[in-house]
Amino acid sequence: LSARMTLCHTLHVRMVDPRPADILQVFQKTVFRSLPKKWQEKINSHADGSVLEGILKRRYRQLEQCFPSDGQVEGVLQELQERDGNKDLLDAVERSSLLIGMHADGATEAIVDVALHYRKPFVVVPCCVFPNFFQHRFVPAPIDSYIDGEIKDGTSTSTQSDSVNGPYSAESERMVPVRSHEQFCEYLARKDSHLIIETLPFEGRNLAIWWDGIHRDGD
């Protein structure tokens, strides 16, 4: 994704990943074959790769670190704003025009929280849920799925509210822990009434939660 955005769409990209990545190699081995033929011919005319390397130097930078993933919004913001070594990351967030989390694992919720806090457009495509690490996540149980305080599969319910779950009345709903991918997507989408869930055209975990950054009249 970073390779395509940098080299195909002339965007300035800051990729946050603790694992060193060779974006030029990714482009040449993966992205290149999916490009229109005329683009491939133009790129092939610069066989030494110097043009692509020059573009990457101007537009792309990797921050070899983890994105904050405390789980609670207050902890995420505190880590981003106060932790030593996060100056470049905070600067990238504040100057960004779009935040993207593509199968960002434990950082997915934090990306949403940071984007909402700084009012930045964003899109995340959740993958892993990590229910044992993020036990603060709850979503309402379907009305027909619980009987006498227990879900039909035996899972206990709760009526306790949590501020990170978004704008709804927890007192009037039975809550269940977030364990499935579908529940995780619902949990993220409930953080703000502006958020949209959309299915992307590829196989696998392809549900995207996004916001265009616009607050409508009356917000």
Side-chain angles (χ1 to χ4, degrees), residues 87-129:
K87 184 178 181 299
D88 289 344
L89 177 57
L90 178 60
D91 181 66
V93 168
E94 292 178 335
R95 297 175 60 186
S96 67
S97 57
L98 175 68
L99 299 181
I100 300 175
M102 181 64 184
H103 291 181
D105 293 335
T108 300
E109 182 179 1
I111 294 170
V112 176
D113 289 335
V114 168
L116 290 174
H117 177 79
Y118 287 97
R119 295 199 170 191
K120 298 290 185 178
F122 76 89
V123 56
V124 294
V125 182
C127 184
C128 300
V129 180

Side-chain angles (χ1 to χ4, degrees), residues 134-143 145-147 149-160 165 168 170 173-180 183-184 186-187:
F134 300 100
Q135 298 184 22
H136 65 281
R137 298 170 177 167
F138 288 84
V139 291
I143 293 176
S145 67
Y146 56 80
I147 301 174
E150 289 192 356
I151 304 300
K152 290 180 181 178
D153 64 4
T155 303
S156 297
T157 65
S158 172
T159 56
Q160 298 299 313
N165 281 297
Y168 60 86
E173 296 179 280
R174 298 278 186 163
M175 309 301 293
V176 294
V178 170
R179 297 193 178 280
S180 70
Q183 287 174 326
F184 187 30
E186 178 190 356
Y187 165 82

Side-chain angles (χ1 to χ4, degrees), residues 2 11 14 17 43 47 58 84 94 121 129 144 170 176 189 193 213:
S2 294
L11 298 174
R14 296 292 180 267
D17 194 318
I43 293 171
R58 294 193 301 273
D84 292 341
E94 292 178 335
V129 180
D144 62 352
V176 294
S193 61

Side-chain angles (χ1 to χ4, degrees), residues 162-169 187 190-192:
D162 192 315
S163 60
V164 300
N165 281 297
Y168 60 86
S169 174
Y187 165 82
R190 294 175 72 93
K191 283 178 173 287
D192 191 282

Side-chain angles (χ1 to χ4, degrees), residues 41 48 57 71 75 81 84 97 107 113 121 148 151 158 209 215:
E41 293 174 348
D48 60 357
K57 288 181 179 179
Q81 297 165 354
D84 292 341
S97 57
D113 289 335
D148 296 330
I151 304 300
S158 172
I209 294 90
H215 280 259

Side-chain angles (χ1 to χ4, degrees), residues 50-116:
S50 60
V51 172
L52 296 181
E53 290 177 357
I55 293 173
L56 284 173
K57 288 181 179 179
R58 294 193 301 273
R59 298 180 188 158
Y60 170 82
R61 180 185 173 194
Q62 180 177 358
L63 302 179
E64 294 185 12
Q65 62 183 99
C66 293
F67 199 87
S69 57
D70 178 89
Q72 303 285 352
V73 61
E74 295 83 1
V76 168
L77 294 175
Q78 182 177 10
E79 181 178 351
L80 175 64
Q81 297 165 354
E82 300 178 10
R83 182 177 178 182
D84 292 341
N86 274 353
K87 184 178 181 299
D88 289 344
L89 177 57
L90 178 60
D91 181 66
V93 168
E94 292 178 335
R95 297 175 60 186
S96 67
S97 57
L98 175 68
L99 299 181
I100 300 175
M102 181 64 184
H103 291 181
D105 293 335
T108 300
E109 182 179 1
I111 294 170
V112 176
D113 289 335
V114 168
L116 290 174

